[in-house]
Amino acid sequence: MTWIIAFVAAALAFGALDALWLGWAGNNFYRPRLGDMLADSFRMGPALVFYAAYVAAMVWFAVRPGLSAGLGNAALNGALLGAICYATYDLTNQATLKQWSTTVTIADIIWGAFATSVAATVATYAASKLA
C-alpha cells in the first residue's frame, strides 16, 4: 500500500505543478524560444508514458530512500533526479539540433529539480503518514 500511495501522491503533486508550469510556459516561454520546433497540439500518449515512467523513477530513487532517511533526503534525491533527467533531455537537444535555446535548457533543469523535489517530498510525507 505504501508504494501505491507514494505513486499516486507523486503523480498528483508533479502533475499539478507541471500543469501550472506548462499552462503558463507553453505560450509565454517555450513558443517564443522554440517556435516551429513545437507541435501544433499536445500529444497525450507520449506524455502519459513519460509521466508514468518518471513518477515510477521518482518513487524508486527519491521517495523510497526518503522513507528511510527523511523528507530532506527525498527532497535532495528528487532535486538531483529532476536536474539530471531534464538536463539529459535539454542538453541532448542542444547537442543534436541546429538551434536550441540555452535559456530553455537552464530553465528546464531548474524546473525539473524544483518540481521533482517538491513532488518527491509530498509523496514521501503522504506515504509515511497514510500507509
Side-chain angles (χ1 to χ4, degrees):
M1 191 61 152
T2 300
W3 305 117
I4 293 170
I5 292 169
F7 187 91
V8 170
L12 290 173
F14 190 77
L17 288 169
D18 222 30
L20 288 172
W21 169 249
L22 292 174
W24 174 83
N27 287 327
N28 296 303
F29 182 73
Y30 292 115
R31 187 142 321 265
R33 288 164 181 80
L34 302 176
D36 291 339
M37 286 189 284
L38 294 177
D40 291 332
S41 62
F42 183 75
R43 296 183 190 123
M44 186 61 75
L48 291 175
V49 172
F50 163 74
Y51 284 114
Y54 193 68
V55 169
M58 192 186 315
V59 169
W60 183 260
F61 291 111
V63 176
R64 185 179 55 88
L67 288 170
S68 300
L71 293 177
N73 187 276
L76 175 61
N77 285 336
L80 292 172
L81 176 68
I84 291 166
C85 289
Y86 279 67
T88 300
Y89 170 78
D90 281 278
L91 292 172
T92 298
N93 285 341
Q94 237 176 338
T96 60
L97 299 177
K98 286 183 182 181
Q99 292 186 13
W100 187 262
S101 168
T102 300
T103 303
V104 168
T105 295
I106 293 167
D108 276 356
I109 293 169
I110 292 168
W111 174 252
F114 170 77
T116 308
S117 179
V118 170
T121 304
V122 166
T124 302
Y125 181 81
S128 69
K129 296 297 180 190
L130 301 176

